[in-house]
Amino acid sequence: MDYQGTILRWTLTQAAESRQPLSELRRGQKGTVQWVRSVDSPFLRYLSSLGIIPGVGFEVIEFSPFDGNLTILLENDQIPQVLGPAVTGQIFIETME
């Protein structure tokens, strides 16, 4: 199964359970990707190419108050990803304490 199918399935089954978008997190907070509010195939492929798929853990390492960009570090990755609010507002997560 491809990641796009996984993302779509998680979107349908997890939508009612997780409502916090990634865009609400700030530096030092950690979470797990739960679902993506999109059926746009190119967008889902883009997220998949970055490794942003349901179940992946991450930590927010930077927040830019000027443009709302978040820099996140995915689990088992050493290259941070910078994501704008148009992207982070579509990714829903479960936070870790």
Side-chain angles (χ1 to χ4, degrees), residues 27-91:
R27 185 179 187 169
Q29 290 185 285
K30 297 179 182 182
T32 304
V33 174
Q34 297 297 307
W35 62 283
V36 176
R37 182 177 48 202
S38 180
V39 292
D40 178 31
S41 294
F43 179 65
L44 296 173
R45 278 194 295 273
Y46 169 70
L47 293 179
S48 179
S49 75
L50 297 176
I52 300 172
I53 58 172
V56 72
F58 64 87
E59 179 177 359
V60 177
I61 57 175
E62 194 64 51
F63 168 72
S64 172
F66 302 106
D67 57 16
N69 286 350
L70 288 178
T71 303
I72 65 169
L73 186 61
L74 300 175
E75 65 185 7
N76 302 320
D77 200 351
Q78 297 182 13
I79 301 172
Q81 303 291 335
V82 178
L83 304 172
V87 173
T88 60
Q90 303 300 312
I91 301 170

